[in-house]
Amino acid sequence: MRRKLAAGNWKMNGTTASLSEVSALMAAHPEPGCEVLLCPPATLVAAMAALTQGKIAVGGQDCHANASGAHTGDIAAAMLKDAGASHVIVGHSERRADHAETNEMVRAKAQAARAAGLVAVICLGETEAQRDAGETLDVIGQQLFASTPDGATGANTVIAYEPIWAIGTGRTPTLAQIAEVHDFIRSELAGRFGAEGGLMRVLYGGSVKPSNAAEIFATSNVDGALVGGASLKAADFGAIIAALDAA
Ligand code: PEP
């Protein structure tokens, strides 16, 4: 009932030359069973969407909460949509840290995404200190509640659980720790959104790679992954797609 989703976040990596990786990915996985999404830098959204022709969905990595205006350097959700995007990541921990984005700002961005017809991929995650202090579920529950707008549905919202200490570090939580948080998010979504909450995908993110993808995808309430570093190379991301298809 929830289609699996393999999402890649290229972060601030990639130029037009990198589109050859996307061509290679499509050649190796012409008809994946799961949904595949790539979120390149904004400069590549239009070219990637033209290349993938909907076979791989394309998303932005952030959008402004406003529809237009005097916000130099920012991008409105409708601009991403116009360039061919269908999704946008909001509230990635790097944006929360580098740009002081609060839950309230993330919720406003998710609302803007929905208004423009984009699916919002809302990111949540605890720091290592918060995990060590036993605060993980409190932090995730608070972020989930405050970052997700009312009216979120399975069609317009994806949740990504990304422990900050696992992003780009090669470290991952234990499978039991992943299951605990994903089960918690699933139950919170059901409590707030009812049946619609049961339709929202919950992705795991943080050092997913070909060697650990299968066990993560076999974990309770994991509907796919948000992948950073390993999404840059067709061979690695393709192996993760194959693992998700096999799950
Ligand atoms: C991310 O930044 O969303 C991420 C999960 O990165 P990595 O896979 O490189 O840890």
Side-chain angles (χ1 to χ4, degrees):
M1 111 177 152
R2 293 188 298 271
R3 191 171 178 214
K4 307 274 183 192
L5 173 59
N9 171 16
W10 280 15
K11 311 192 186 192
M12 198 172 71
N13 298 291
T15 58
T16 47
S18 317
L19 295 174
S20 62
E21 293 294 330
V22 182
S23 301
L25 185 67
M26 288 197 294
H29 300 273
E31 288 183 12
C34 62
E35 185 179 0
V36 180
L37 164 68
L38 280 174
C39 300
T43 48
L44 288 179
V45 165
M48 191 181 283
L51 176 65
T52 61
Q53 293 289 309
K55 293 186 187 114
I56 291 176
V58 177
Q61 297 176 10
D62 177 54
C63 66
H64 198 279
N66 291 357
S68 64
H71 304 288
T72 302
D74 280 313
I75 297 178
M79 294 171 182
L80 292 169
K81 174 89 172 169
D82 181 56
S86 53
H87 295 63
V88 62
I89 297 169
V90 292
H92 191 283
S93 60
E94 287 153 13
R95 299 243 12 130
R96 290 179 187 258
D98 295 353
H99 300 272
E101 292 190 3
T102 62
N103 290 325
E104 292 65 35
M105 291 163 72
V106 174
R107 184 177 64 225
K109 287 171 184 238
Q111 273 165 331
R114 188 202 311 168
L118 298 179
V119 178
V121 181
I122 302 173
C123 300
L124 321 168
E126 83 283 4
T127 63
E128 186 160 30
Q130 288 166 334
R131 176 162 282 280
D132 290 346
E135 296 169 358
T136 298
L137 296 187
D138 283 347
V139 168
I140 297 300
Q142 224 265 322
Q143 287 182 349
L144 179 65
F145 180 77
S147 301
T148 310
D150 290 338
T153 67
N156 64 32
T157 304
V158 172
I159 304 296
Y161 167 56
E162 301 204 300
I164 295 168
W165 51 274
I167 293 179
T169 60
R171 298 167 58 206
T172 52
T174 65
L175 299 178
Q177 288 171 328
I178 294 175
E180 180 188 34
V181 177
H182 279 246
D183 289 350
F184 173 73
I185 292 173
R186 172 74 39 229
S187 128
E188 292 289 294
L189 290 174
R192 179 169 168 195
F193 297 105
E196 202 57 51
L199 300 176
M200 289 181 209
R201 271 92 52 96
V202 182
L203 310 182
Y204 169 77
S207 296
V208 176
K209 48 196 176 216
S211 59
N212 64 15
E215 61 181 15
I216 291 172
F217 295 148
T219 301
S220 175
N221 279 313
V222 173
D223 300 313
L226 180 53
V227 182
S231 71
L232 292 168
K233 292 285 167 211
D236 288 345
F237 197 46
I240 291 168
I241 290 168
L244 188 55
D245 277 347

